[in-house]
Amino acid sequence: MTAPTSGGCATEVLPRDLLARLLGELRRGGAEYADAFVEERDSRSAASGDGGVGDVSSGWQCGAGFRAVRSGRSAFCSTEDLSPEGLRAAASAALRGLGAGAETVDHTPATPALGAAVHRARPCSVAWAPRLDLMRMAETAAREADPRIASVRTTWFESLHRIQICTSEGVGRSERRERTRLHVRVGARDGRGRTAVGTRAPGVGGGFARFLAEAGAAAAADRAARQAVRLLDAREGPAGDLPVVMQGGAAGAFVHEACGHLLEAAVSPAEQSPLARGLGRTVAPPAVTVVDDHTLPGAWATALFDDEGADAARTVLVDQGRLVSLLYDRAAALRAGVAGTGNGRRPGFRRPPATRMTNLLLAPGTDDPGDIVAQTGEGVLAREFGRGLADPVTGTVEFGVTEGYRIRRGRVCEPLRQVTVSGRAPELLSSVDRVGPDLTVTPLVCTKDGQKAMVSAGAPTIRVPAAAVGGR
């Protein structure tokens, strides 16, 4: 990543002095605060399956969003017209929306007019050959894992964002943000006609070279294939209140939904989740520490600063069981009268910022994962959750288990199908009684209120002694 500088730099999309002049006009027009968010996004994807490669595509977008704030209310507009006239029209629309009392105004010309003197040329296309070779290697690794592999589909995705932020308070920052991911979906079929699916999706906060060095595409494909084969023997799951041991992606998803979303501060205190009310109180056992680390090297959501220009930070949310902070964007922090945490994030230049987590981690503990299972007796082991839902009003969470196993007499036994795990997040979090040392960090694409965010979810093996398990 390119370090922030006080002057112009190669990552800037638009002249900083032009944006500063427009923000000054917003202040003179009555805004107490204003900012500009500029984004140039170059993305590439490809899909392959059963020996063939298709659906190779690339996309490019560039635009700017202006926000004006007065008396705790804000108005926002976006545009793809990056000429000085187009930018001024968008900034003026934000100011008019603020005067009219509108929360959000969208100003997007039907035919963007990109000023040649202002806008940089689109980056050159990447070399597809090594990326396609990687996808074919992953498919080969999956098929060689077991003769029962019937189908393999791989999807490659990478994006390069050039982000620029200017504010009326004099902040001016820019950086490159790269993300790369390979999704492998493997189907297995046995002689009795039973089918099952296994998936893996390694990703890194970086480009193709970093993915090659760190992600292990062939190993991920092999694990997806072996997961599919194991699940061929899946049986109907149990139902009732049972101990649940969570590992890998399932443990990370649990922390993401049961803790992360419920600690994203709302602008209105009345909208805060049950878990977020009452800083300083005990919400979990001493073995539980949860942090949101925007600075985690190489992670999916890592950046130098958030989408409002605040420094990326490591924020401790739960410290040895005690709730010590929420996550805040600028608006929520001002409303609460506290310092922000650098968690203002945008899905792109067309939307204003909102409070979102980044790389959320439950810190490793000391309990041996084998002992955790052995001492569980009867219960369920969840290794992967396919979907998760969190209701911030009631605190209820629910997960669909895509890879789970029955625990009988302290041993991992038959795989399960069509199992769900649910409960109220405050009770589940407060009941966590075992925490292992084996931290696993998983990249996710999280959707909240219709807006997507790249996040990471990390946790070691954990156990809740009783959760509502549903089976068929």
Side-chain angles (χ1 to χ4, degrees):
M1 294 180 183
T2 303
T5 63
S6 57
C9 64
T11 53
E12 290 186 347
V13 182
L14 297 175
R16 188 181 299 185
D17 58 351
L18 170 61
L19 296 174
R21 286 198 303 272
L22 294 173
L23 296 176
E25 292 175 10
L26 291 180
R27 286 297 307 275
R28 290 189 293 274
E32 296 170 353
Y33 169 85
D35 60 24
F37 178 86
V38 186
E39 176 192 34
E40 182 182 58
R41 177 189 301 181
D42 190 22
S43 60
R44 297 168 288 276
S45 65
S48 70
D50 301 327
V53 177
D55 300 328
V56 176
S57 64
S58 62
W60 179 85
Q61 276 189 313
C62 193
F66 288 88
R67 178 174 55 158
V69 180
R70 183 172 61 213
S71 301
R73 292 175 32 232
S74 67
F76 174 83
C77 65
S78 65
T79 182
E80 293 180 69
D81 184 344
L82 301 187
S83 67
E85 297 78 14
L87 294 169
R88 179 167 282 107
S92 298
L95 192 61
R96 289 195 304 273
L98 187 62
E103 183 67 23
T104 303
V105 175
D106 185 16
H107 177 81
T108 305
T111 306
L114 302 180
V118 174
H119 175 62
R120 300 177 188 274
R122 177 180 173 177
C124 296
S125 298
V126 300
W128 273 109
R131 290 156 172 82
L132 299 180
D133 287 345
L134 184 72
M135 296 167 69
R136 283 189 281 264
M137 180 181 68
E139 179 173 349
T140 298
R143 291 192 177 280
E144 290 179 348
D146 194 278
R148 288 166 288 185
I149 299 305
S151 64
V152 182
R153 181 174 177 83
T154 61
T155 304
W156 173 262
F157 168 80
E158 62 183 303
S159 66
L160 168 61
H161 299 243
R162 290 169 61 214
I163 302 295
Q164 182 180 5
I165 299 169
C166 289
T167 79
S168 60
E169 296 174 341
V171 174
R173 314 190 75 170
S174 61
E175 71 169 320
R176 286 168 55 105
R177 298 175 183 173
E178 292 184 87
R179 296 186 180 99
T180 312
R181 194 176 197 185
L182 177 69
H183 185 275
V184 184
R185 186 180 190 275
V186 181
R189 179 186 294 273
D190 65 12
R192 292 190 284 170
R194 298 181 300 179
T195 61
V197 172
T199 62
R200 284 293 184 274
V204 300
F208 182 66
R210 186 164 202 160
F211 185 92
L212 283 179
E214 298 180 7
D222 179 81
R223 288 195 296 271
R226 296 185 185 282
Q227 178 191 44
V229 171
R230 288 194 301 270
L231 295 179
L232 286 170
D233 294 321
R235 306 176 192 177
E236 294 180 359
D241 290 337
L242 294 169
V244 177
V245 177
M246 293 175 247
Q247 295 180 331
F254 170 78
V255 176
H256 173 90
E257 298 289 353
C259 189
H261 273 311
L262 274 64
L263 295 182
E264 292 171 331
V267 173
S268 169
E271 297 174 355
Q272 300 286 37
S273 74
L275 185 61
R277 297 167 192 158
L279 289 176
R281 64 190 176 88
T282 298
V283 297
V288 173
T289 292
V290 179
V291 301
D292 183 82
D293 192 351
H294 205 175
T295 68
L296 189 66
W300 193 236
T302 295
L304 294 176
F305 50 86
D306 77 350
D307 293 337
E308 297 181 291
D311 286 337
R314 181 182 184 273
T315 303
V316 179
L317 302 174
V318 179
D319 185 11
Q320 296 182 13
R322 190 169 62 93
L323 180 63
V324 296
S325 180
L326 306 183
L327 298 175
Y328 297 95
D329 67 354
R330 187 179 192 275
L334 287 173
R335 184 68 62 91
V338 300
T341 58
N343 286 87
R345 303 191 65 194
R346 315 179 194 227
F349 69 89
R350 297 184 185 277
R351 293 292 189 93
T355 302
R356 302 294 294 273
M357 68 190 100
T358 60
N359 305 304
L360 190 81
L361 311 173
L362 193 155
T366 60
D367 293 315
D368 181 85
D371 290 343
I372 294 175
V373 173
Q375 296 168 14
T376 294
E378 303 293 318
V380 169
L381 170 66
R383 287 184 178 156
E384 295 292 338
F385 287 146
R387 60 177 176 81
L389 299 173
D391 186 332
V393 176
T394 65
T396 301
V397 292
E398 179 178 322
F399 306 93
V401 181
T402 55
E403 184 181 4
Y405 301 86
R406 188 69 185 267
I407 299 176
R408 298 180 186 275
R409 296 182 293 278
R411 298 179 60 188
V412 179
C413 296
E414 72 273 16
L416 304 174
R417 64 171 181 265
Q418 297 180 334
V419 172
T420 62
V421 175
S422 61
R424 290 193 72 251
E427 283 80 4
L428 292 175
L429 189 65
S430 67
S431 71
V432 171
D433 63 352
R434 304 297 293 272
V435 180
D438 50 340
L439 177 68
T440 299
V441 181
T442 303
L444 301 174
V445 179
C446 172
T447 300
K448 177 182 176 182
D449 298 331
Q451 299 190 33
K452 292 183 178 180
M454 306 295 187
V455 302
S456 296
T461 297
I462 59 176
R463 184 178 71 179
V464 294
V469 175
R472 211 181 66 177

